[in-house]
Amino acid sequence: MKLFTIGFTKTSAERFFGRLEKAGVKKILDTRLHRDSQLAGFAKQADLPFFLSHVTSIDYGVSEILAPTADMLDAYRKKKIRWPEYERLYKELLRSRQVETRLAPQGLDGCCLLCSEATPEHCHRRLAAEYLTTVWGPFEIVHL
């Protein structure tokens, strides 16, 4: 099984869609809390399904259970908590939501977890992918 992750900031639409297509992604799973922000540009929820279907043949879906809470995200962005605390809180959130019982591993094979961060180091999409690996058994995680 292969699970991809990608962020849309600090990249062009051409590079974003090109990376998805080249990797063979089958479906984008949007894990963002704020999917319609004006800052999202080409990746707004209202537009992304259109672009994915017209530029590529990639499906689009939303996974609210993988999104952080507003309080958690706000505290991190306003520097009220640091990354280690955010990471701990987010992992606790995934456990409390029992995401492993609400998602199916075979349904995520070839999927790409989407969020806004340019790189996976300080991003919940990486934490979500790693969490799913620990509960379902090892599979390949590819950060695009």
Side-chain angles (χ1 to χ4, degrees):
M1 185 169 125
K2 190 181 283 190
L3 181 63
F4 300 93
T5 78
I6 195 168
F8 66 85
T9 58
K10 299 182 182 176
T11 192
S12 66
E14 179 181 7
R15 181 156 158 63
F16 176 83
F17 292 109
R19 285 185 290 167
L20 292 170
E21 204 165 37
K22 183 177 179 184
V25 169
K26 297 175 190 169
K27 181 177 184 177
I28 284 283
L29 198 56
D30 199 332
T31 68
R32 297 174 293 169
L33 181 63
H34 304 293
R35 293 179 293 278
D36 284 318
S37 167
Q38 289 301 318
L39 300 176
F42 66 84
K44 285 187 284 194
Q45 182 180 8
D47 298 326
L48 193 53
F50 171 83
F51 290 132
L52 286 168
S53 67
H54 285 75
V55 175
T56 70
S57 59
I58 298 172
D59 292 329
Y60 175 83
V62 172
S63 180
E64 294 177 357
I65 63 169
L66 293 179
T69 66
D71 290 342
M72 182 186 310
L73 187 59
D74 188 54
Y76 178 67
R77 285 185 173 163
K78 292 183 177 178
K79 301 188 185 309
K80 293 178 182 175
I81 62 172
R82 298 180 67 154
W83 178 254
E85 177 70 3
Y86 178 87
E87 186 172 358
R88 184 186 65 74
L89 290 171
Y90 182 71
K91 288 177 182 178
E92 285 178 9
L93 180 66
L94 294 177
R95 280 191 289 281
S96 71
R97 289 178 174 170
Q98 298 179 336
V99 298
E100 66 275 13
T101 64
R102 298 171 66 188
L103 298 171
Q106 61 276 17
L108 291 183
D109 188 23
C111 277
C112 185
L113 304 182
L114 169 71
C115 82
S116 60
E117 296 297 325
T119 62
E121 291 81 20
H122 292 112
C123 182
H124 76 278
R125 72 179 188 263
R126 175 185 60 84
L127 300 176
E130 290 172 356
Y131 176 82
L132 293 172
T133 296
T134 62
V135 296
W136 289 336
F139 53 87
E140 185 179 1
I141 298 172
V142 179
H143 302 291
L144 302 175

